[in-house]
Amino acid sequence: MDLAISDSELELMTYRQLTSHALAWTGMALILQALAYVIQRRFFPVLAAQREALIRLNTGDYEYRLPARGPHELAPLTQAINAIGQHLLNSRNNMRQQIEQTTADLQESME
């Protein structure tokens, strides 16, 4: 009994498998690229605005507030940045009032 093995049928199956794997990897790459695009469009503008707000707070612009927008995952960070700004503004105003009161008390005691 002779068995004849055909290489051409085996090669054809191998090429079909390679082609299907290549298509599957290409599909996954496209899905990942689309996901990255969505993440970039959704999160990066909000993160850039938060970064800008922190820079402004660092330079003394304590009245700047971030608008409540963007994905809900970043909302607590936005609220915290706004709370820090409010706290710094309140601290600065309290310090000014204390300085004015102290100055007034010193001027009164010198008279």
Side-chain angles (χ1 to χ4, degrees):
M1 183 164 168
D2 263 338
L3 289 176
I5 299 176
S6 171
D7 285 349
S8 63
E9 193 66 34
L10 192 57
E11 287 177 8
L12 185 58
M13 284 181 56
T14 302
Y15 288 130
R16 283 185 183 156
Q17 285 180 341
L18 287 174
T19 303
S20 67
H21 287 125
L23 287 174
W25 282 107
T26 303
M28 284 192 275
L30 288 173
I31 290 170
L32 287 175
Q33 188 175 11
L35 181 62
Y37 177 76
V38 168
I39 289 172
Q40 177 185 3
R41 299 281 294 170
R42 182 173 171 168
F43 288 94
F44 284 1
V46 177
L47 290 172
Q50 290 172 342
R51 180 180 180 274
E52 178 64 27
L54 289 171
I55 290 170
R56 289 177 76 164
L57 288 173
N58 189 44
T59 58
D61 185 4
Y62 303 140
E63 295 180 8
Y64 181 75
R65 297 293 178 267
L66 284 168
R69 64 177 175 88
H72 67 277
E73 295 89 353
L74 296 177
L77 182 56
T78 298
Q79 292 168 354
I81 291 170
N82 286 339
I84 289 169
Q86 188 61 48
H87 177 73
L88 291 171
L89 181 64
N90 292 343
S91 295
R92 182 178 66 186
N93 290 339
N94 288 339
M95 186 172 55
R96 283 183 180 167
Q97 288 175 353
Q98 288 175 355
I99 290 170
E100 289 172 3
Q101 181 63 42
T102 303
T103 303
D105 290 346
L106 286 172
Q107 286 176 347
E108 185 177 304
S109 69
M110 292 177 74
E111 293 174 0

